Amino acid sequence: MKVRDVLDMVECTVEAGTSGLDNEVKCGYASDLLSDVMAHARDGDIWVTVQAHENIIAVATLVGLAAIVVAGGVECQPEAARRADEEGIPLLRTRLPAFEVVGRLYAAGVRGRTGS
Amino acid sequence: MRLECKVTGGDFQAAGEAAAKLKRTLRQVGIDAETARRAAIVAYEAEMNIVIHAFRGVLSVDISPERIEIVADDEGPGIPDIPLAMQEGYSTAPEHIREMGFGAGLGLPNMKRYSDEFHIESTVGRGTNVRMVINLPSKGSLT
Ligand SMILES: Nc1ncnc2c1ncn2[C@@H]1O[C@H](COP(=O)(O)OP(=O)(O)OP(=O)(O)O)[C@@H](O)[C@H]1O
Ligand SMILES: [Mg+2]
């Protein structure tokens, strides 16, 4: 599944990073703690969070995430959008709450990583 | 090869740049993705600790055929109780920093977990020095 395939599914708008919309979504990760994401998310994960500031882009770039879904209708900060464009990380925003976003992704076949 | 980056306390705009630069360099010199990931994680956590907890510092990285050595040296308040600071979940980050998703108390444990060698020294009122080594997989020949 590609990032562009989840857009309708999670009812999101693309805030920035359109050049990454063809990134392959391998798995998913949900967390609002940046050090937790650094340690446990993996290359190709789609990340569901309510954080929307610029530092989420640094995390996404370092981990090699496929995309970020900012849930719960949180406004993305302009600096985050600017960075997402620079790095080609799709920054998606939805008014759906995080639980619903994860549920829809899971139902469509996106799994979390279990075990190591 | 040596890389050096200045890190400024409180500068959340530039936060993560040193670690990103390191990861790019490691990939350019042909270091495998998993090793580069571990180096990026520990460098990021060390960099963020300077941004969040210290005044200023330097993140330096030495890359040799055998190992990557990452040193974060800062001027800052120092850490009074290192074993306590090393505990998962322990954090003194203020509320407005926690709201940004920092301050989970996972940074130091991550650094230890993802490095092969981890050394930390700190002097209260002066600063903190963290030195980490990641061994590179040997290219076959035993020495
Ligand atoms: N460079 C530093 N200077 C001063 N204090 C530090 C430094 N690094 C860590 N500490 C202290 O050790 C505590 C634990 O650090 P750790 O990196 O594990 O967690 P954190 O930075 O608070 O949260 P997280 O890394 O999960 O965002 C910090 O809250 C702080 O009190
Ligand atoms: Mg930390």
Side-chain angles (χ1 to χ4, degrees), chain A residues 35, chain B residues 45-46 49-50 52-54 74 76-79 85-87 90-93 101-109 111 128:
Chain A
S35 292
Chain B
E45 295 295 358
N49 276 0
I50 299 176
I52 296 171
H53 306 292
D74 72 53
I79 303 175
M86 291 300 304
Q87 281 178 22
Y90 177 82
S91 175
T92 59
F102 298 109
L106 292 173
L108 289 171
M111 288 184 237
T128 300

Side-chain angles (χ1 to χ4, degrees), chain B residues 3-69:
Chain B
L3 288 177
E4 241 183 54
C5 279
K6 284 199 177 134
V7 182
T8 309
D11 184 358
F12 284 89
Q13 283 234 331
E17 274 176 12
K21 188 170 154 196
L22 168 64
K23 192 177 184 196
R24 272 196 302 277
T25 308
L26 292 177
R27 295 298 281 150
Q28 276 160 13
V29 300
I31 286 173
D32 68 285
E34 183 53 28
T35 306
R37 183 178 91 92
R38 288 170 56 205
I41 292 173
V42 304
Y44 174 82
E45 295 295 358
E47 181 181 359
M48 287 318 304
N49 276 0
I50 299 176
V51 173
I52 296 171
H53 306 292
F55 310 140
R56 67 187 71 80
V58 176
L59 188 81
S60 59
V61 183
D62 276 288
I63 306 165
S64 76
E66 293 83 33
R67 64 212 313 243
I68 306 166
E69 185 179 70

Side-chain angles (χ1 to χ4, degrees), chain A residues 34 39 42 53 62 83, chain B residues 13 23 37 100-101 110 114:
Chain A
L34 304 195
R42 289 293 185 131
H53 55 81
L62 283 168
R83 293 273 174 103
Chain B
Q13 283 234 331
K23 192 177 184 196
R37 183 178 91 92
M100 294 172 76
N110 280 352
Y114 287 104

Side-chain angles (χ1 to χ4, degrees), chain B residues 80-97:
Chain B
D81 185 342
I82 290 176
L84 181 64
M86 291 300 304
Q87 281 178 22
E88 237 174 66
Y90 177 82
S91 175
T92 59
E95 191 50 38
H96 68 280
I97 302 274

